[in-house]
Amino acid sequence: MPHKFSDARRDKFPKAKYRVTNCSEYNESLRRRGDVTIWVSDDVVQSLASPRRKTRGGQARYSDLAIEICFTLRVVFRLPLRQTQGFVRSLAKLMGMALVVPDFSTLSRCGKGLRITPHWRAASKPITLIVDSTGLKVHGGDGWHAEKHPTRKARKTWRKLHIGLDPETGDIVASKLTTEHMGDETALPDLIAGIDADVSRILADGAYEGQGVVDCLEDRFGSGIEIIIPPPKTAVRGENAQRNHHIAAIAEHGRMNWQAETGYNQRSQVEAQISRWKQVIGERLQARDFDRQIAEAQIASKALNRMTGLGRAKYERVF
């Protein structure tokens, strides 16, 4: 049997083609991502020392900002901890500043429970929130050693990254790293808890379909929020008016027409952001401890937002 049994009777949709209209500006933004001064500026260097402690206890030698800068350079340039220490030490030497750079063991220890301040451009009007999740590999071998030598294979595991995207600015306004056992609906309340912007519309795939998601979104953003989640094929009408309207529109005009009318096709932007994450940051987490992996994911989100702020590509459809 062929891969698609009804392929000869399927409707063929030509793939749309786009071109970039701001090539020079976008190329310059890509070059600036490799500029170290974007990530380590002169005004930031002055805040690397930890503020004086006024309570009982030992005095911290490095501030959270210093640890965050080191981890940001590690995530952006994909460096191990020891190479990160040497890289930051060489930057301090080139800048002519007598800075004591945290060693690799200090970075590893301070990465656990590190407080990361979110960085994304605030909107002047209510935003559209697109949520989705993906899997990230954890540190470990690829199985070659277990195949070469008669050892027991390690059980495969991964982490689940949940993100919320603002399509207007392209920034990640919320991110949460969980274990692979936590579902999308369960992780949603913690994901949207830190969003301090007004959300007028939310887009999500069928994994978020359920009354619990509706109650969570209305409690957080108000009853007037527009929820665009595709109902399953076997969905029946219930008490939710928005869901009943979606079911009726799909039954009358078809699912493709419903996607175009509601703007559900915008959800492809969060899938593109996930692909961008794995291309720029990588599809594997460097940290081994779960708490350190959480900090690494938060720093990666902040770094991607910094890259987006440098410039985005503008497209126009040509076919």
Side-chain angles (χ1 to χ4, degrees), residues 288-317:
R288 302 191 182 189
D289 185 79
F290 181 59
D291 292 334
R292 296 180 179 88
Q293 291 171 355
I294 293 176
E296 180 181 343
Q298 293 175 348
I299 291 175
S301 299
K302 191 172 182 178
L304 285 176
N305 289 344
R306 289 283 300 272
M307 294 180 184
T308 303
L310 297 177
R312 300 175 62 191
K314 298 179 181 179
Y315 298 93
E316 70 175 5
R317 186 168 178 172

Short mmCIF file of all heavy atoms in Angstrom, two decimals, residues 288-317:
data_model
loop_
_atom_site.label_atom_id
_atom_site.label_comp_id
_atom_site.label_asym_id
_atom_site.label_seq_id
_atom_site.Cartn_x
_atom_site.Cartn_y
_atom_site.Cartn_z
N ARG A 288 23.21 19.51 33.10
CA ARG A 288 22.79 18.17 33.46
C ARG A 288 21.71 18.17 34.54
O ARG A 288 20.85 17.32 34.55
CB ARG A 288 23.99 17.35 33.93
CG ARG A 288 25.10 17.26 32.90
CD ARG A 288 26.13 16.24 33.28
NE ARG A 288 27.23 16.18 32.33
CZ ARG A 288 28.18 15.24 32.34
NH1 ARG A 288 28.17 14.32 33.28
NH2 ARG A 288 29.15 15.25 31.44
N ASP A 289 21.79 19.11 35.46
CA ASP A 289 20.81 19.20 36.54
C ASP A 289 19.57 19.92 36.03
O ASP A 289 19.65 20.87 35.26
CB ASP A 289 21.41 19.94 37.73
CG ASP A 289 20.47 19.94 38.92
OD1 ASP A 289 20.40 18.92 39.62
OD2 ASP A 289 19.80 20.97 39.13
N PHE A 290 18.38 19.49 36.50
CA PHE A 290 17.14 20.06 36.00
C PHE A 290 17.00 21.53 36.37
O PHE A 290 16.53 22.34 35.56
CB PHE A 290 15.95 19.26 36.55
CG PHE A 290 14.61 19.75 36.07
CD1 PHE A 290 14.32 19.80 34.71
CD2 PHE A 290 13.65 20.20 36.96
CE1 PHE A 290 13.09 20.26 34.26
CE2 PHE A 290 12.43 20.67 36.52
CZ PHE A 290 12.14 20.69 35.16
N ASP A 291 17.39 21.91 37.59
CA ASP A 291 17.30 23.32 37.99
C ASP A 291 18.21 24.20 37.12
O ASP A 291 17.83 25.33 36.77
CB ASP A 291 17.67 23.47 39.45
CG ASP A 291 16.65 22.83 40.38
OD1 ASP A 291 15.48 22.73 39.95
OD2 ASP A 291 17.02 22.41 41.49
N ARG A 292 19.38 23.71 36.79
CA ARG A 292 20.27 24.47 35.90
C ARG A 292 19.74 24.51 34.48
O ARG A 292 19.97 25.48 33.74
CB ARG A 292 21.67 23.87 35.95
CG ARG A 292 22.34 23.96 37.32
CD ARG A 292 23.72 23.35 37.32
NE ARG A 292 24.37 23.45 38.62
CZ ARG A 292 24.24 22.55 39.59
NH1 ARG A 292 23.50 21.47 39.39
NH2 ARG A 292 24.85 22.72 40.75
N GLN A 293 19.05 23.47 34.06
CA GLN A 293 18.44 23.46 32.74
C GLN A 293 17.33 24.51 32.63
O GLN A 293 17.15 25.11 31.57
CB GLN A 293 17.90 22.07 32.43
CG GLN A 293 18.97 21.02 32.22
CD GLN A 293 18.40 19.62 32.15
OE1 GLN A 293 17.20 19.42 32.35
NE2 GLN A 293 19.25 18.65 31.86
N ILE A 294 16.62 24.73 33.73
CA ILE A 294 15.58 25.77 33.73
C ILE A 294 16.21 27.15 33.50
O ILE A 294 15.73 27.95 32.70
CB ILE A 294 14.80 25.73 35.06
CG1 ILE A 294 13.99 24.43 35.16
CG2 ILE A 294 13.89 26.94 35.19
CD1 ILE A 294 13.26 24.27 36.47
N ALA A 295 17.30 27.43 34.20
CA ALA A 295 18.00 28.71 34.02
C ALA A 295 18.55 28.82 32.61
O ALA A 295 18.51 29.91 32.00
CB ALA A 295 19.11 28.85 35.06
N GLU A 296 19.07 27.74 32.06
CA GLU A 296 19.60 27.76 30.70
C GLU A 296 18.51 28.09 29.69
O GLU A 296 18.74 28.87 28.75
CB GLU A 296 20.23 26.41 30.38
CG GLU A 296 20.83 26.33 28.99
CD GLU A 296 21.43 24.98 28.69
OE1 GLU A 296 21.68 24.21 29.64
OE2 GLU A 296 21.65 24.67 27.50
N ALA A 297 17.31 27.52 29.85
CA ALA A 297 16.22 27.80 28.93
C ALA A 297 15.76 29.26 29.04
O ALA A 297 15.44 29.90 28.03
CB ALA A 297 15.05 26.85 29.21
N GLN A 298 15.73 29.81 30.24
CA GLN A 298 15.34 31.20 30.41
C GLN A 298 16.35 32.15 29.78
O GLN A 298 15.99 33.15 29.15
CB GLN A 298 15.17 31.51 31.90
CG GLN A 298 14.01 30.78 32.55
CD GLN A 298 13.94 31.03 34.05
OE1 GLN A 298 14.88 31.56 34.65
NE2 GLN A 298 12.84 30.64 34.67
N ILE A 299 17.63 31.84 29.94
CA ILE A 299 18.67 32.67 29.33
C ILE A 299 18.61 32.58 27.81
O ILE A 299 18.81 33.57 27.10
CB ILE A 299 20.05 32.24 29.85
CG1 ILE A 299 20.19 32.62 31.33
CG2 ILE A 299 21.18 32.87 29.04
CD1 ILE A 299 21.47 32.14 31.97
N ALA A 300 18.32 31.38 27.28
CA ALA A 300 18.20 31.22 25.83
C ALA A 300 17.04 32.05 25.29
O ALA A 300 17.16 32.67 24.22
CB ALA A 300 18.03 29.75 25.49
N SER A 301 15.92 32.08 26.00
CA SER A 301 14.78 32.90 25.56
C SER A 301 15.15 34.37 25.55
O SER A 301 14.81 35.11 24.61
CB SER A 301 13.59 32.66 26.49
OG SER A 301 13.17 31.32 26.46
N LYS A 302 15.85 34.81 26.57
CA LYS A 302 16.26 36.21 26.65
C LYS A 302 17.25 36.55 25.55
O LYS A 302 17.19 37.64 24.94
CB LYS A 302 16.88 36.48 28.02
CG LYS A 302 17.11 37.93 28.35
CD LYS A 302 17.54 38.08 29.80
CE LYS A 302 17.74 39.56 30.17
NZ LYS A 302 18.12 39.72 31.59
N ALA A 303 18.17 35.63 25.23
CA ALA A 303 19.14 35.88 24.16
C ALA A 303 18.46 35.95 22.80
O ALA A 303 18.81 36.80 21.96
CB ALA A 303 20.21 34.79 24.17
N LEU A 304 17.48 35.09 22.55
CA LEU A 304 16.76 35.12 21.28
C LEU A 304 15.98 36.42 21.13
O LEU A 304 15.88 36.98 20.03
CB LEU A 304 15.82 33.93 21.18
CG LEU A 304 16.47 32.58 20.89
CD1 LEU A 304 15.43 31.47 20.92
CD2 LEU A 304 17.19 32.58 19.55
N ASN A 305 15.42 36.93 22.22
CA ASN A 305 14.72 38.22 22.15
C ASN A 305 15.68 39.35 21.85
O ASN A 305 15.33 40.31 21.14
CB ASN A 305 13.99 38.48 23.46
CG ASN A 305 12.78 37.57 23.64
OD1 ASN A 305 12.32 36.94 22.69
ND2 ASN A 305 12.28 37.48 24.86
N ARG A 306 16.90 39.28 22.39
CA ARG A 306 17.91 40.29 22.07
C ARG A 306 18.25 40.24 20.58
O ARG A 306 18.42 41.28 19.93
CB ARG A 306 19.18 40.07 22.90
CG ARG A 306 19.03 40.40 24.37
CD ARG A 306 19.06 41.91 24.62
NE ARG A 306 20.28 42.51 24.18
CZ ARG A 306 21.39 42.62 24.90
NH1 ARG A 306 21.42 42.10 26.11
NH2 ARG A 306 22.45 43.22 24.42
N MET A 307 18.37 39.05 20.04
CA MET A 307 18.65 38.91 18.61
C MET A 307 17.50 39.45 17.76
O MET A 307 17.72 40.11 16.74
CB MET A 307 18.90 37.44 18.27
CG MET A 307 20.15 36.85 18.89
SD MET A 307 20.36 35.11 18.43
CE MET A 307 21.81 34.69 19.40
N THR A 308 16.28 39.18 18.19
CA THR A 308 15.12 39.68 17.44
C THR A 308 15.07 41.21 17.47
O THR A 308 14.70 41.85 16.49
CB THR A 308 13.83 39.11 18.05
OG1 THR A 308 13.90 37.68 18.03
CG2 THR A 308 12.62 39.54 17.24
N GLY A 309 15.47 41.79 18.60
CA GLY A 309 15.48 43.25 18.69
C GLY A 309 16.49 43.92 17.78
O GLY A 309 16.35 45.10 17.45
N LEU A 310 17.52 43.19 17.35
CA LEU A 310 18.50 43.75 16.44
C LEU A 310 17.95 43.94 15.04
O LEU A 310 18.46 44.76 14.27
CB LEU A 310 19.74 42.85 16.38
CG LEU A 310 20.52 42.69 17.69
CD1 LEU A 310 21.67 41.72 17.50
CD2 LEU A 310 21.05 44.03 18.17
N GLY A 311 16.94 43.20 14.67
CA GLY A 311 16.35 43.32 13.35
C GLY A 311 15.70 42.03 12.91
O GLY A 311 16.19 40.94 13.21
N ARG A 312 14.57 42.17 12.22
CA ARG A 312 13.85 41.01 11.72
C ARG A 312 13.70 41.12 10.20
O ARG A 312 13.71 42.21 9.64
CB ARG A 312 12.45 40.93 12.34
CG ARG A 312 12.42 40.79 13.84
CD ARG A 312 11.01 40.84 14.36
NE ARG A 312 10.19 39.76 13.84
CZ ARG A 312 8.86 39.70 13.96
NH1 ARG A 312 8.21 40.71 14.56
NH2 ARG A 312 8.18 38.67 13.49
N ALA A 313 13.56 39.96 9.58
CA ALA A 313 13.34 39.92 8.14
C ALA A 313 11.89 40.27 7.82
O ALA A 313 10.97 39.82 8.52
CB ALA A 313 13.70 38.55 7.59
N LYS A 314 11.69 41.06 6.77
CA LYS A 314 10.36 41.40 6.30
C LYS A 314 10.13 40.69 4.97
O LYS A 314 10.97 40.75 4.08
CB LYS A 314 10.22 42.91 6.12
CG LYS A 314 10.39 43.70 7.41
CD LYS A 314 10.26 45.19 7.17
CE LYS A 314 10.44 45.98 8.47
NZ LYS A 314 10.33 47.43 8.24
N TYR A 315 8.99 40.02 4.87
CA TYR A 315 8.71 39.19 3.70
C TYR A 315 7.52 39.77 2.93
O TYR A 315 6.66 40.45 3.49
CB TYR A 315 8.38 37.75 4.12
CG TYR A 315 9.50 37.03 4.83
CD1 TYR A 315 9.59 37.03 6.21
CD2 TYR A 315 10.47 36.34 4.11
CE1 TYR A 315 10.61 36.37 6.87
CE2 TYR A 315 11.49 35.69 4.76
CZ TYR A 315 11.56 35.69 6.13
OH TYR A 315 12.57 35.03 6.78
N GLU A 316 7.50 39.46 1.64
CA GLU A 316 6.34 39.69 0.82
C GLU A 316 6.15 38.48 -0.09
O GLU A 316 7.13 37.87 -0.55
CB GLU A 316 6.47 40.96 -0.01
CG GLU A 316 7.49 40.91 -1.11
CD GLU A 316 7.48 42.16 -1.97
OE1 GLU A 316 6.74 43.09 -1.62
OE2 GLU A 316 8.20 42.19 -2.99
N ARG A 317 4.92 38.16 -0.33
CA ARG A 317 4.62 36.97 -1.13
C ARG A 317 4.78 37.28 -2.61
O ARG A 317 4.26 38.30 -3.10
CB ARG A 317 3.21 36.48 -0.83
CG ARG A 317 2.84 35.17 -1.51
CD ARG A 317 1.57 34.59 -0.96
NE ARG A 317 1.21 33.36 -1.64
CZ ARG A 317 0.21 32.56 -1.26
NH1 ARG A 317 -0.54 32.90 -0.21
NH2 ARG A 317 -0.06 31.46 -1.92
#
